[in-house]
Amino acid sequence: EVGPTMVGDEHSDPSLMSFLGATKRNVLGNNFCEYYVNDAPRIVLNKLESCGYRVVSMTGVGQTLVWCLHKE
């Protein structure tokens, strides 16, 4: 997969979003904000691993891939 990668919602930790280089946006028609980065998921996952997160599970939903992570 290539970017962009969704990395959080409006309630996500701002310091973590800053570390990932994420930008907050509101897509027309949505009543919520989301954070995204232009990096591929593997880059984001490597950054999160360096912060103590690990992948617990992964699944596909339509054309979307979803990773569930847990911080040690």
Side-chain angles (χ1 to χ4, degrees):
E1 289 294 315
V2 297
T5 303
M6 297 301 162
V7 294
D9 62 18
E10 59 204 36
H11 305 292
S12 297
D13 177 8
S15 61
L16 180 59
M17 296 299 104
S18 177
F19 171 76
L20 294 174
T23 303
K24 191 176 189 179
R25 71 176 178 186
N26 186 325
V27 176
L28 184 63
N30 289 350
N31 62 350
F32 57 89
C33 295
E34 58 195 11
Y35 284 94
Y36 76 100
V37 296
N38 287 323
D39 296 331
R42 65 182 173 79
I43 302 297
V44 175
L45 292 170
N46 286 343
K47 286 181 179 180
L48 289 170
E49 183 181 31
S50 74
C51 292
Y53 289 88
R54 65 181 175 87
V55 175
V56 176
S57 65
M58 180 270 201
T59 190
V61 180
Q63 293 185 7
T64 302
L65 298 175
V66 179
W67 286 270
C68 180
L69 284 79
H70 175 75
K71 186 170 183 177
E72 297 293 326

